[in-house]
Short mmCIF file of all heavy atoms in Angstrom, two decimals:
data_model
loop_
_atom_site.label_atom_id
_atom_site.label_comp_id
_atom_site.label_asym_id
_atom_site.label_seq_id
_atom_site.Cartn_x
_atom_site.Cartn_y
_atom_site.Cartn_z
N ARG E 75 -7.42 1.65 -19.50
CA ARG E 75 -7.57 3.03 -19.00
C ARG E 75 -8.17 3.03 -17.59
O ARG E 75 -8.13 4.07 -16.93
CB ARG E 75 -8.51 3.79 -19.96
CG ARG E 75 -7.93 4.00 -21.33
CD ARG E 75 -8.72 5.07 -22.09
NE ARG E 75 -10.14 4.66 -22.18
CZ ARG E 75 -10.68 4.12 -23.23
NH1 ARG E 75 -9.93 3.82 -24.27
NH2 ARG E 75 -11.99 3.86 -23.28
N ARG E 76 -8.79 1.93 -17.16
CA ARG E 76 -9.44 1.91 -15.85
C ARG E 76 -8.43 1.93 -14.72
O ARG E 76 -7.46 1.18 -14.74
CB ARG E 76 -10.34 0.67 -15.72
CG ARG E 76 -11.24 0.69 -14.53
CD ARG E 76 -12.06 -0.60 -14.50
NE ARG E 76 -12.85 -0.73 -15.70
CZ ARG E 76 -12.71 -1.75 -16.57
NH1 ARG E 76 -11.78 -2.65 -16.39
NH2 ARG E 76 -13.48 -1.79 -17.65
N PRO E 77 -8.55 2.83 -13.68
CA PRO E 77 -7.61 2.83 -12.61
C PRO E 77 -7.59 1.52 -11.86
O PRO E 77 -8.59 0.81 -11.79
CB PRO E 77 -8.10 3.98 -11.73
CG PRO E 77 -9.53 4.16 -12.09
CD PRO E 77 -9.66 3.78 -13.52
N GLU E 317 -7.36 7.25 -3.46
CA GLU E 317 -8.15 6.93 -4.63
C GLU E 317 -8.70 8.21 -5.26
O GLU E 317 -8.71 8.35 -6.49
CB GLU E 317 -9.30 6.04 -4.23
CG GLU E 317 -8.89 4.58 -4.06
CD GLU E 317 -8.32 4.00 -5.34
OE1 GLU E 317 -8.93 4.16 -6.39
OE2 GLU E 317 -7.24 3.36 -5.25
N ARG E 318 -9.09 9.20 -4.46
CA ARG E 318 -9.56 10.48 -5.02
C ARG E 318 -8.47 11.21 -5.77
O ARG E 318 -8.68 11.74 -6.83
CB ARG E 318 -10.19 11.34 -3.92
CG ARG E 318 -11.60 10.86 -3.47
CD ARG E 318 -12.29 11.99 -2.71
NE ARG E 318 -11.66 12.22 -1.44
CZ ARG E 318 -12.01 11.62 -0.26
NH1 ARG E 318 -13.04 10.78 -0.29
NH2 ARG E 318 -11.41 11.93 0.84
N VAL E 319 -7.29 11.24 -5.14
CA VAL E 319 -6.21 11.91 -5.81
C VAL E 319 -5.81 11.18 -7.08
O VAL E 319 -5.58 11.86 -8.08
CB VAL E 319 -5.01 11.92 -4.79
CG1 VAL E 319 -3.74 12.46 -5.54
CG2 VAL E 319 -5.29 12.83 -3.62
N ARG E 320 -5.81 9.87 -7.06
CA ARG E 320 -5.49 9.11 -8.28
C ARG E 320 -6.52 9.37 -9.34
O ARG E 320 -6.19 9.48 -10.54
CB ARG E 320 -5.30 7.62 -7.90
CG ARG E 320 -4.82 6.78 -9.13
CD ARG E 320 -4.76 5.32 -8.72
NE ARG E 320 -3.87 5.05 -7.63
CZ ARG E 320 -4.27 4.67 -6.43
NH1 ARG E 320 -5.54 4.44 -6.16
NH2 ARG E 320 -3.38 4.43 -5.48
N GLY E 321 -7.82 9.37 -8.94
CA GLY E 321 -8.86 9.61 -9.91
C GLY E 321 -8.76 10.96 -10.54
O GLY E 321 -8.97 11.15 -11.75
N ALA E 322 -8.46 11.99 -9.69
CA ALA E 322 -8.37 13.33 -10.18
C ALA E 322 -7.15 13.49 -11.15
O ALA E 322 -7.25 14.11 -12.23
CB ALA E 322 -8.18 14.29 -9.06
N ALA E 323 -6.08 12.80 -10.82
CA ALA E 323 -4.87 12.85 -11.68
C ALA E 323 -5.11 12.10 -13.01
O ALA E 323 -4.72 12.58 -14.07
CB ALA E 323 -3.68 12.23 -10.99
N THR E 324 -5.85 11.01 -12.94
CA THR E 324 -6.17 10.26 -14.19
C THR E 324 -7.10 11.04 -15.03
O THR E 324 -6.95 11.12 -16.26
CB THR E 324 -6.81 8.90 -13.80
OG1 THR E 324 -5.93 8.21 -12.99
CG2 THR E 324 -7.06 8.11 -15.06
N GLY E 325 -8.11 11.73 -14.45
CA GLY E 325 -9.06 12.50 -15.24
C GLY E 325 -8.38 13.68 -15.87
O GLY E 325 -8.74 14.09 -16.99
N ALA E 326 -7.39 14.27 -15.19
CA ALA E 326 -6.67 15.43 -15.76
C ALA E 326 -5.86 15.04 -16.93
O ALA E 326 -5.61 15.89 -17.82
CB ALA E 326 -5.79 16.05 -14.68
N THR E 327 -5.44 13.82 -17.04
CA THR E 327 -4.66 13.37 -18.20
C THR E 327 -5.47 12.73 -19.30
O THR E 327 -4.89 12.30 -20.30
CB THR E 327 -3.58 12.36 -17.74
OG1 THR E 327 -4.21 11.21 -17.12
CG2 THR E 327 -2.62 12.98 -16.71
N ARG E 328 -6.78 12.72 -19.20
CA ARG E 328 -7.68 12.11 -20.18
C ARG E 328 -8.72 13.12 -20.60
O ARG E 328 -9.88 12.98 -20.25
CB ARG E 328 -8.31 10.84 -19.66
CG ARG E 328 -7.37 9.75 -19.40
CD ARG E 328 -8.01 8.65 -18.57
NE ARG E 328 -9.22 8.15 -19.19
CZ ARG E 328 -10.13 7.45 -18.51
NH1 ARG E 328 -9.97 7.21 -17.25
NH2 ARG E 328 -11.21 7.06 -19.10
N PRO E 329 -8.39 14.19 -21.33
CA PRO E 329 -9.40 15.20 -21.73
C PRO E 329 -10.36 14.64 -22.73
O PRO E 329 -10.05 13.75 -23.56
CB PRO E 329 -8.55 16.34 -22.32
CG PRO E 329 -7.30 15.60 -22.82
CD PRO E 329 -7.07 14.49 -21.84
N GLY E 330 -11.61 15.13 -22.69
CA GLY E 330 -12.59 14.76 -23.70
C GLY E 330 -13.33 13.47 -23.47
O GLY E 330 -14.09 13.06 -24.29
N VAL E 331 -13.06 12.80 -22.33
CA VAL E 331 -13.71 11.56 -22.08
C VAL E 331 -15.13 11.77 -21.49
O VAL E 331 -15.23 12.39 -20.44
CB VAL E 331 -12.94 10.65 -21.10
CG1 VAL E 331 -13.67 9.36 -20.79
CG2 VAL E 331 -11.52 10.35 -21.71
N GLY E 332 -16.16 11.30 -22.19
CA GLY E 332 -17.52 11.42 -21.70
C GLY E 332 -18.19 12.75 -21.92
O GLY E 332 -19.31 13.07 -21.52
N SER E 333 -17.49 13.74 -22.54
CA SER E 333 -18.08 15.05 -22.83
C SER E 333 -17.40 15.64 -24.05
O SER E 333 -16.42 15.13 -24.57
CB SER E 333 -17.91 15.96 -21.61
OG SER E 333 -16.51 16.14 -21.36
#
Side-chain angles (χ1 to χ4, degrees):
R75 295 194 302 262
R76 191 180 300 118
E317 282 300 313
R318 283 198 292 268
V319 171
R320 188 182 298 112
T324 304
T327 58
R328 293 166 56 196
V331 177
S333 61

